[in-house]
C-alpha cells in the first residue's frame, strides 16, 4: 500500500486546483427570452396601397422633376426619387450616383430636374404607373416599346411581363413583323419564338398571311431555313 501522507498531499493539491478554476456560469434566461417571439411583416397589399397613394398625391410628395424628351414631344413628370431608385438601378445612378444627371433647380423651380432622352413620354408614364403598383393595359405595339424601355431602365418584372405578352401574341398573321421588330427592341425570346414558328412547317402559311414577308431580311430567312434543316 502507498504512503498515506503522499495520498493526502495529492488530494490537497487537487482541491487547490479546483479552487483556482473559474466557477461555471449558469445561463439565466431573461423574461424576454422566456416569452414567445413572432416576426411581423407588412402585408404586400398594404405596401401597394401606399404606393398608389403616393402616385395619387404626386404633386405633394414629389422631390424631382423628370423631363422625358421623346422623338416628337416632351413632358415633365413630378416624381419621387426614392421610389424610382428602388425600382430601377439606372435611374438610381442618374439620381443619386457619382455620375448623377440631376440639374440644380432654376429660379422659380422648387425641384431638381432629371432629363431623359430616347424614351417616349407615354411610355415613361406607363412605367411610372407600374412602379407605383397600378395596372398597365397592353397591346402589341405598346408592349414592344414598353419592353425596350423597361429593359433599358432595368425594371425587370415589367420587361418580363411585356415579353410574356408578346410571346403569347405571336401567330401566323404577325410572325414576320414581330420577328423584325423583336430585333429592333432587343427581345431575344420573341425573336426565337418567331423563328421557331416559321421553321416548323409554318413558313408557307406565314408567307401568305403576313404582308411583311416580302420585306423579310434575307439573313433572317436564311436563319429560318437553317433551323428547319436541323
Amino acid at each position: 500500500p502507498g504512503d498515506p501522507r503522499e495520498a493526502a498531499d495529492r488530494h490537497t493539491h487537487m482541491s487547490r486546483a479546483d479552487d483556482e478554476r473559474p466557477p461555471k456560469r449558469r445561463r439565466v434566461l431573461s423574461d424576454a427570452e422566456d416569452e414567445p417571439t413572432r416576426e411581423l411583416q407588412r402585408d404586400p397589399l398594404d405596401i401597394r396601397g401606399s404606393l398608389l397613394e403616393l402616385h395619387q398625391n404626386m404633386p405633394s410628395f414629389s422631390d424631382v422633376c423628370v423631363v422625358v424628351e421623346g422623338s416628337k414631344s416632351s413632358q415633365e413628370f413630378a416624381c419621387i426619387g426614392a421610389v424610382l431608385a428602388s425600382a430601377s438601378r439606372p435611374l438610381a445612378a442618374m439620381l443619386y450616383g457619382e455620375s448623377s444627371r440631376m440639374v440644380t433647380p432654376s429660379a422659380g423651380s422648387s425641384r431638381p430636374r432629371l432629363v431623359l432622352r430616347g424614351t417616349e413620354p407615354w411610355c415613361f408614364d406607363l412605367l411610372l404607373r407600374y412602379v407605383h403598383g397600378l395596372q398597365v393595359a397592353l397591346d402589341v405595339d405598346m408592349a414592344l416599346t414598353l419592353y425596350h424601355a423597361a429593359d433599358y431602365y432595368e425594371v425587370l418584372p415589367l420587361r418580363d411581363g411585356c415579353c410574356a405578352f408578346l410571346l403569347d401574341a405571336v401567330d401566323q398573321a404577325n410572325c414576320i413583323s414581330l420577328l423584325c421588330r423583336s430585333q429592333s427592341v432587343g427581345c431575344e425570346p420573341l425573336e426565337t419564338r418567331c423563328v421557331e414558328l416559321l421553321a416548323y412547317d409554318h413558313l408557307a402559311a406565314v408567307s401568305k398571311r403576313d404582308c411583311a414577308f416580302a420585306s423579310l431580311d434575307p439573313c433572317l430567312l436564311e436563319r429560318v431555313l437553317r433551323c428547319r434543316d436541323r
Side-chain angles (χ1 to χ4, degrees), residues 118-120 123 127 141-155 158-159 162-163 166 181-187:
T119 301
E120 298 302 322
C123 192
L127 187 146
D141 290 334
M142 293 170 62
L144 283 163
T145 306
L146 192 55
Y147 173 92
H148 186 57
D151 186 48
Y152 179 79
Y153 293 112
E154 295 185 16
V155 184
L158 177 58
R159 180 201 66 181
C162 290
C163 182
L166 290 167
R181 298 179 69 182
S182 68
Q183 292 189 315
S184 65
V185 300
C187 185

Side-chain angles (χ1 to χ4, degrees), residues 90-140:
L91 286 175
M94 296 177 195
L95 290 165
Y96 304 115
E98 294 180 358
S99 58
S100 172
R101 299 184 188 176
M102 294 279 282
V103 178
T104 304
S106 57
S109 176
S110 59
R111 305 183 188 92
R113 296 162 68 85
L114 174 66
V115 178
L116 302 179
R117 297 181 176 89
T119 301
E120 298 302 322
W122 67 264
C123 192
F124 184 81
D125 182 47
L126 291 181
L127 187 146
L128 194 62
R129 291 172 60 84
Y130 180 86
V131 165
H132 283 86
L134 281 78
Q135 293 183 347
V136 175
L138 295 176
D139 58 30
V140 170

